[in-house]
Amino acid sequence: MASDSARINLTHHFLIAMPGLQDQSFSRSVVYLCEHSERGALGLIINKPADIKLSGLFEKVELHLDRPDLSDAPVFHGGPVQTERGFVLHEPVRPTPVPGGDDARKSDGEDEPTVYASTLMIPGGLEMTTSKDVLEAMATGAGPRKVLVTLGYSAWDEGQLESEIAENSWLTVMADPAVIFDTPVEQRYDKALSLLGLEAWKLSPEAGHA
């Protein structure tokens, strides 16, 4: 049974907190899983805004954000790990071919080139970049059009996430990028639940204490 659950790959899935999950970081959260393997899992909370806007974050790293579409967007609490570090979840960005050039960086563990120095290409179509060059691109008005920026991330050790799911702490569903990029923050929890055909009021508050 345990070996079966260990083989579940929830990369590019949402984790939706059940009402019984009262952990301060994860209560009523929606987590986008960027990576999930037998070694553990890594994800970003997409519905818990921090008390700082993107324009303010850019000022802290001595950049001016020349993107009116993003200036007032919130930065999010991505999770309780490395909360001073920025993570940029974004739509795919591909390098512009340069005749005779070979400047494209390679993504982590992938052969396909990426634009930025440190980008995780997520099966399912999104990318997560941790290098400052994506912020520098956005500062000039370029960069990815659809982005979500977090401080910190969420992580689970080997077998930990599987155990939490077995304890009914989380619901899981294939991720829909529209929930991340096109849905108002306060609606993301309910929208993620709707992907499963569920509504929050129908969930038992006792779930998670089984």
Side-chain angles (χ1 to χ4, degrees), residues 55-189:
S55 55
L57 178 65
F58 273 66
E59 288 174 9
K60 285 181 176 291
V61 295
E62 301 180 342
L63 292 171
H64 173 70
L65 179 58
D66 189 17
R67 286 280 299 273
D69 58 316
L70 294 176
S71 294
D72 289 330
V75 176
F76 289 81
H77 291 293
V81 185
Q82 294 190 10
T83 55
E84 296 299 313
R85 187 178 179 192
F87 297 82
V88 183
L89 183 64
H90 58 87
E91 63 185 353
V93 179
R94 293 291 170 265
T96 302
V98 178
D102 189 24
D103 297 329
R105 282 77 169 260
K106 298 295 184 181
S107 60
D108 298 345
E110 298 283 350
D111 292 331
E112 195 170 350
T114 61
V115 173
Y116 308 115
S118 182
T119 295
L120 172 68
M121 297 178 67
I122 304 163
L126 299 183
E127 299 180 354
M128 183 188 70
T129 298
T130 55
S131 47
K132 189 178 177 181
D133 50 359
V134 67
L135 300 182
E136 293 169 342
M138 291 164 62
T140 67
R145 295 291 98 187
K146 296 189 175 186
V147 301
L148 180 138
V149 180
T150 76
L151 290 173
Y153 68 96
S154 305
W156 291 263
D157 292 330
E158 178 182 352
Q160 183 183 359
L161 179 58
E162 289 81 0
S163 294
E164 292 181 11
I165 292 172
E167 293 165 358
N168 295 321
S169 293
W170 301 100
L171 293 169
T172 65
V173 66
M174 182 69 73
D176 180 354
V179 177
I180 303 171
F181 301 121
D182 303 323
T183 303
V185 176
E186 66 277 6
Q187 297 176 22
R188 290 178 188 176
Y189 184 82

Side-chain angles (χ1 to χ4, degrees), residues 7-19:
R7 286 196 292 268
I8 296 172
N9 186 344
L10 295 174
T11 301
H12 190 62
H13 279 63
F14 288 140
L15 298 179
I16 307 168
M18 290 289 281

